[in-house]
Amino acid sequence: MSRIQILPDLLVNKIAAGEVIERPASIVKELVENALDAGSSNIIVTIEDGGKRLIRVVDDGIGMSAEDLRLAVTPHATSKITCEEDLFKIATLGFRGEALASIGAVSRLRITSRPRDQIEGNEIVISAKHLETAQAAGCRTGTSVEVRDLFFNVPARRKFMRATATEVGHINEQVARMALGHRSVGFELTNNQRTTHRLAADSSIRDRIGALYGADLADELIPIERDERGLRIEGYVAPPARSRSTASWQYVFLNGRYIRDRSVQHAIREAYRGLMEHQRFPVAFLFLTMDPELVDVNVHPCKLEVRWQNSQLVHSQVLSALRDKFLTSNLAPTLRAGENAPSSRFEFDPQKAADVRREAADYYKGLVPSPMGSPIQATYEGRDFGPTIGTRPGMRPSDIRSDVWDSMHGGGQPDQPETRLPADDMPTELPQIKGYRALQVHNSYLVAETSDGLVIIDQHALHERIMYERLKAQFTEGPLESQRLLMPETLTASATDMALLQEHEELLAKLGVEANAFGEDQIAVHSFPSLLKDIDAAAFMRDLLDRLGDQHTQTSTEEVIHEVLDMMSCKAAVKAGDALTTEEIAALIEQKGEIEKSSNCPHGRPTTLSLSVDELEKQFKRK
Ligand code: ADP
Ligand code: MG
């Protein structure tokens, strides 16, 4: 007997099914995609037991004739493409013609359908690939597809289905993606007789995001729009303080299809560079529209990835769309009494904050007359306007159960407190500091009066941000100004360090660093960037080599450069605890104006908190 055999059809189908149908959510995806391709305006998804017992998708689309119904469940039967050329201009979500056949091979599948122009519909029932029923049936126009007992005939796969809540989470996510991509369509999702999503047809992007992820997030979003060189980009991005610990909050759509794309993700990260820490990921909802002939969607089993004809174009357009917007937006977190302060990464020492508050109160005693002679200080202490760490219930919409929500988003509470940034505050001007006067408190913070209130500045974060901008500007123009050391400084180096030294010779020269191998295991540093004048050259070189060697964080030369500039600016900046002279304070505040583009230093900490007179007046019950 030969070792190699041709597999029976049934098995082939099961194998193929394994590719597209990993779990209930993949079925929901395929069925809803079909409903969308059929031009439906309302789609109702019903699941029971996480889709393991039942998945039903009912649509009001074009429907199928008796003949089409029989064909629809046949492998490689599709109405969406007819020849090879069609594969390169796909405008529908489906095109492979295998979903229904694959589903029919691993479940009990029942479809009823009625085209709009017929008075009667038809029904077909398939059980593990066997045709059980095909008959006329009374039904509404459109199509209803029911999948029961998924994997009942494939125990190995059935075993791999996860807890119901997990599967529900995946289904929610799939429905959310398709609903975001198709806002003209109404959606309803019912899980075990409870309707968890009800999304109105003809929603705006913002409304749909709000309905799915909460008005809290939707209200803060920054609109993005660009239409150039054949690529239209629209959508929203969230302020940096909304960052997440994974990229899964980046929803990118191409012609209505949810996609995962490295170049778009990279462009988003680039746009936020300097606005958040390296391990954080921006939240974005971007909808790309382009001629389907300029992109290949037939490259991934789940149609999740695409191949651009010109990925450079996509990258640069997304990057510019976001950057242009950020340059004209106020990304500064606004401090509001009674609400959570901007960021948990704002290193917070309650004792210190209380002291700062007291000093701020003292400072402003002269400016704000205390009402009825009551001690203003006590009022300040009674109010919590300092950066407090706390969590809000997160963005979970009230109609989605928390376990469902958690399983959808990797569990637990949102990974940082959410910041309130009212939409109407978004593109406003930053508060202008009056003159260059500020009070330094605890050798760490500067308190200054602004045109409409006051700001509290983190001196290190601000200076670091200033240094970063300066270094970047200098670096772009040519090599950084460098100063020669009187005596070369040496450091012990490994073979890897030596290799890095050679490999990055050019970059080091641009950074104003001159260093060479000295003996077998030493590196000598001869010149050093002038901006870093007070820093230990050997320690700097050590850190620099470590950064250059860290492959995990870097994917491109550009990224390496930013890493290094980040590090340099951190080292060059004044520290918390450094006493500053009046002149130094004035200089810092003056330079603040130059970098007002955003309020976060390269490591993502906010540099400035602001409190308006309006807010103060509310606090003191003047309003
Ligand atoms: P594909 O979507 O790749 O064409 P499917 O197996 O998902 O393959 O569906 C096969 C065919 O069945 C489709 O091409 C379409 O003509 C028809 N079909 C499937 N679902 C529906 C639906 N909900 N409404 C109308 N026609 C449908
Ligand atoms: Mg399909």
Side-chain angles (χ1 to χ4, degrees):
M1 203 181 121
S2 65
R3 205 158 54 85
I4 298 176
Q5 296 171 38
I6 299 198
L7 297 172
D9 241 17
L10 182 60
L11 192 48
V12 170
N13 252 316
K14 283 182 186 173
I15 292 170
E19 281 212 34
V20 272
I21 304 169
E22 296 169 79
R23 59 182 350 146
S26 350
I27 295 189
V28 172
K29 174 173 190 259
E30 293 295 335
L31 299 184
V32 174
E33 283 190 351
N34 280 345
L36 290 167
D37 282 344
S40 310
S41 29
N42 275 293
I43 298 175
I44 300 167
V45 181
T46 308
I47 58 170
E48 274 172 28
D49 199 11
K52 292 182 259 186
R53 190 173 34 231
L54 170 75
I55 297 168
R56 185 192 303 121
V57 175
V58 178
D59 68 49
D60 57 359
I62 55 171
M64 284 175 274
S65 66
E67 192 188 349
D68 277 348
L69 200 49
R70 291 288 280 268
L71 279 170
V73 293
T74 317
H76 307 294
T78 178
S79 57
K80 298 169 194 175
I81 55 172
T82 52
C83 59
E84 203 182 320
E85 282 141 56
D86 287 350
L87 259 185
F88 300 100
K89 47 178 182 206
I90 289 167
T92 49
L93 295 168
F95 52 84
R96 291 183 181 144
E98 50 186 20
L100 289 182
S102 303
I103 295 168
V106 294
S107 68
R108 300 183 220 278
L109 170 69
R110 177 170 175 270
I111 310 177
T112 56
S113 191
R114 190 183 124 198
R116 283 174 189 156
D117 57 358
Q118 286 176 24
I119 43 165
E120 204 180 29
N122 290 280
E123 174 189 50
I124 195 167
V125 178
I126 312 263
S127 183
K129 221 198 168 194
H130 293 290
L131 179 65
E132 313 234 304
T133 316
Q135 63 189 24
C139 60
R140 303 191 317 176
T141 62
T143 303
S144 160
V145 182
E146 223 175 72
V147 178
R148 284 183 189 274
D149 306 327
L150 179 59
F151 298 134
F152 78 93
N153 59 334
V154 200
R157 288 224 146 252
R158 198 169 59 228
K159 271 211 307 259
F160 276 104
M161 284 196 283
R162 309 291 298 275
T164 299
T166 311
E167 299 298 350
V168 171
H170 286 285
I171 291 170
N172 272 333
E173 176 67 15
Q174 286 297 347
V175 173
R177 290 175 187 176
M178 289 183 286
L180 283 168
H182 296 81
R183 277 125 17 226
S184 60
V185 180
F187 285 85
E188 203 181 290
L189 175 59
T190 299
N191 173 22
N192 288 346
Q193 277 87 49
R194 274 192 63 234
T195 301
T196 55
H197 287 71
R198 193 171 278 130
L199 307 170
D202 295 316
S203 299
S204 67
I205 298 177
R206 207 194 272 269
D207 285 349
R208 194 138 276 189
I209 295 171
L212 288 164
Y213 304 113
D216 240 31
L217 173 67
D219 287 351
E220 291 182 11
L221 295 172
I222 305 163
I224 298 292
E225 204 175 347
R226 190 185 184 86
D227 194 350
E228 258 175 52
R229 302 179 58 197
L231 176 64
R232 183 176 155 67
I233 303 167
E234 63 175 329
Y236 291 91
V237 296
R242 279 276 184 181
S243 71
R244 313 291 302 204
S245 57
T246 77
S248 64
W249 281 82
Q250 286 166 20
Y251 288 89
V252 178
F253 298 83
L254 169 71
N255 297 339
R257 183 195 304 280
Y258 171 88
I259 58 165
R260 279 246 171 268
D261 186 73
R262 282 178 60 90
S263 48
V264 175
Q265 273 180 8
H266 187 263
I268 295 173
R269 269 184 78 179
E270 279 298 307
Y272 277 86
R273 184 181 289 292
L275 299 175
M276 54 178 62
E277 287 165 286
H278 296 298
Q279 301 315 317
R280 307 292 301 175
F281 296 87
V283 172
F285 300 88
L286 294 180
F287 301 85
L288 279 50
T289 314
M290 72 161 32
D291 182 344
E293 293 197 35
L294 300 178
V295 59
D296 187 356
V297 294
N298 186 25
V299 292
H300 187 265
C302 300
K303 301 171 284 185
L304 254 179
E305 285 167 20
V306 299
R307 192 180 293 131
W308 311 101
Q309 217 170 68
N310 185 351
S311 68
Q312 198 52 47
L313 170 92
V314 175
H315 185 272
S316 68
Q317 292 300 303
V318 171
L319 181 58
S320 325
L322 268 61
R323 276 220 177 131
D324 291 356
K325 190 69 192 185
F326 291 169
L327 288 178
T328 55
S329 300
N330 174 10
L331 303 175
T334 312
L335 196 60
R336 288 184 145 199
E339 294 203 38
N340 285 326
S343 169
S344 59
R345 292 189 304 282
F346 193 90
E347 282 151 28
F348 179 61
D349 173 352
Q351 184 52 49
K352 208 166 183 177
D355 293 343
V356 171
R357 250 175 260 159
R358 202 166 305 117
E359 282 187 46
D362 287 342
Y363 181 65
Y364 280 94
K365 244 181 214 166
L367 305 173
V368 188
S370 57
M372 311 287 289
S374 72
I376 191 167
Q377 188 176 322
T379 320
Y380 257 97
E381 286 189 328
R383 301 282 166 184
D384 192 10
F385 77 93
T388 43
I389 297 176
T391 42
R392 285 162 43 138
M395 296 181 295
R396 177 170 63 87
S398 54
D399 58 346
I400 297 185
R401 277 207 337 261
S402 65
D403 57 332
V404 172
W405 184 255
D406 289 347
S407 63
M408 219 172 137
H409 296 292
Q413 291 288 329
D415 48 6
Q416 70 163 74
E418 309 299 345
T419 311
R420 187 91 195 118
L421 243 180
D424 49 351
D425 280 8
M426 276 321 297
T428 56
E429 289 288 303
L430 284 165
Q432 290 300 306
I433 293 174
K434 287 184 171 172
Y436 297 131
R437 205 165 52 99
L439 171 76
Q440 187 186 30
V441 289
H442 285 272
N443 290 341
S444 301
Y445 302 100
L446 307 177
V447 181
E449 187 184 0
T450 62
S451 42
D452 75 338
L454 65 102
V455 286
I456 303 168
I457 299 164
D458 176 329
Q459 66 186 38
H460 170 69
L462 172 62
H463 196 213
E464 186 176 33
R465 179 83 189 142
I466 292 169
M467 292 308 282
Y468 178 82
E469 293 299 332
R470 282 227 227 133
L471 283 166
K472 201 171 73 177
Q474 273 196 22
F475 184 85
T476 327
E477 278 180 11
L480 293 185
E481 193 188 307
S482 145
Q483 97 187 3
R484 216 172 162 76
L485 299 171
L486 285 176
M487 287 272 286
E489 292 221 23
T490 57
L491 62 147
T492 312
S494 67
T496 317
D497 292 332
M498 294 295 186
L500 286 168
L501 190 64
Q502 263 194 345
E503 186 189 335
H504 293 285
E505 210 181 339
E506 216 176 309
L507 173 65
L508 290 171
K510 280 199 77 182
L511 290 168
V513 177
E514 193 195 324
N516 56 15
F518 180 71
E520 271 201 357
D521 61 351
Q522 297 280 312
I523 287 177
V525 185
H526 300 279
S527 307
F528 194 62
S530 321
L531 272 170
L532 303 184
K533 55 181 180 301
D534 299 329
I535 286 161
D536 174 2
F540 167 76
M541 195 64 207
R542 174 76 271 142
D543 278 5
L544 187 55
L545 289 169
D546 288 347
R547 297 282 165 128
L548 294 176
D550 183 5
Q551 295 302 324
H552 300 294
T553 47
Q554 293 139 20
T555 55
S556 66
T557 326
E558 206 189 337
E559 216 149 320
V560 176
I561 293 166
H562 283 288
E563 275 274 332
V564 169
L565 294 182
D566 270 7
M567 182 195 85
M568 289 171 68
S569 37
C570 181
K571 283 186 181 293
V574 296
K575 304 287 177 294
D578 289 353
L580 301 180
T581 63
T582 321
E583 291 73 35
E584 286 171 329
I585 292 174
L588 262 182
I589 290 181
E590 188 182 357
Q591 288 162 12
K592 181 174 163 42
E594 298 165 16
I595 55 123
E596 286 297 33
K597 280 185 296 197
S598 83
S599 67
N600 293 41
C601 76
H603 297 305
R605 285 199 293 135
T607 64
T608 306
L609 299 174
S610 53
L611 188 62
S612 66
V613 169
D614 204 45
E615 193 58 48
L616 282 173
E617 286 178 348
K618 272 186 217 147
Q619 287 302 306
F620 290 118
K621 310 269 182 259
R622 289 167 170 275
K623 270 194 166 174

